[in-house]
Amino acid sequence: MKKIQVNNKILCDAISIASKFCSKKSTLPILSSIKVDITENGECTLSSFNSENYISKRINIQNISNECMSFCINLKNGLFAFLKTISSDELLSIDVDEQNIKIKLLL
């Protein structure tokens, strides 16, 4: 399992920008998703695209695992709405494996 840590406000701001071209009514689930690419040194790029446009937002995070990783976050599952309910100064721990993404608050 790969682990990263990021401030909730930084993540929410990046998702807000990167989701500009996510389709709200697409029959292809990938077009309703944000792609997340993370380098071993903690550079994180969130991006979305439709058939005509592409946008990305780069942020720095703490990559606990020191491994590259890529995954998609489908915005139709309510994750972004949930993250917006959490205090902006909270630190999140995100665990990524082959099939799941788990987000925990670090107290």
Side-chain angles (χ1 to χ4, degrees):
M1 184 170 301
K2 299 174 181 180
K3 293 181 175 267
I4 59 173
Q5 291 180 353
V6 63
N7 174 277
N8 186 48
K9 179 177 179 9
I10 292 170
L11 181 61
C12 284
D13 289 348
I15 289 173
S16 179
I17 292 168
S19 66
K20 297 288 185 208
F21 294 123
C22 283
S23 175
K24 311 259 187 296
K25 298 178 183 180
S26 176
T27 56
L28 297 172
I30 195 68
L31 295 178
S32 300
S33 300
I34 292 175
K35 183 180 180 196
V36 181
D37 293 304
I38 302 170
T39 64
E40 21 337 266
N41 63 356
E43 185 177 284
C44 176
T45 303
L46 294 90
S47 58
S48 69
F49 56 92
N50 59 25
S51 60
E52 299 173 9
N53 302 297
Y54 171 85
I55 192 168
S56 68
K57 172 68 177 163
R58 206 171 269 163
I59 60 174
N60 289 314
I61 61 165
Q62 186 176 3
N63 187 344
I64 306 298
S65 302
N66 294 320
E67 296 179 54
C68 291
M69 60 184 99
S70 293
F71 54 92
C72 289
I73 300 173
N74 189 312
L75 295 181
K76 287 186 177 181
N77 68 8
L79 174 66
F80 185 44
F82 171 72
L83 288 175
K84 289 193 293 187
T85 67
I86 299 171
S87 174
S88 64
D89 61 345
E90 294 289 343
L91 187 61
L92 304 175
S93 173
I94 303 173
D95 299 340
V96 180
D97 65 23
E98 292 297 320
Q99 297 188 11
N100 297 299
I101 299 170
K102 295 178 185 174
I103 300 175
K104 299 181 243 179
L105 287 174
L106 293 177
L107 303 175

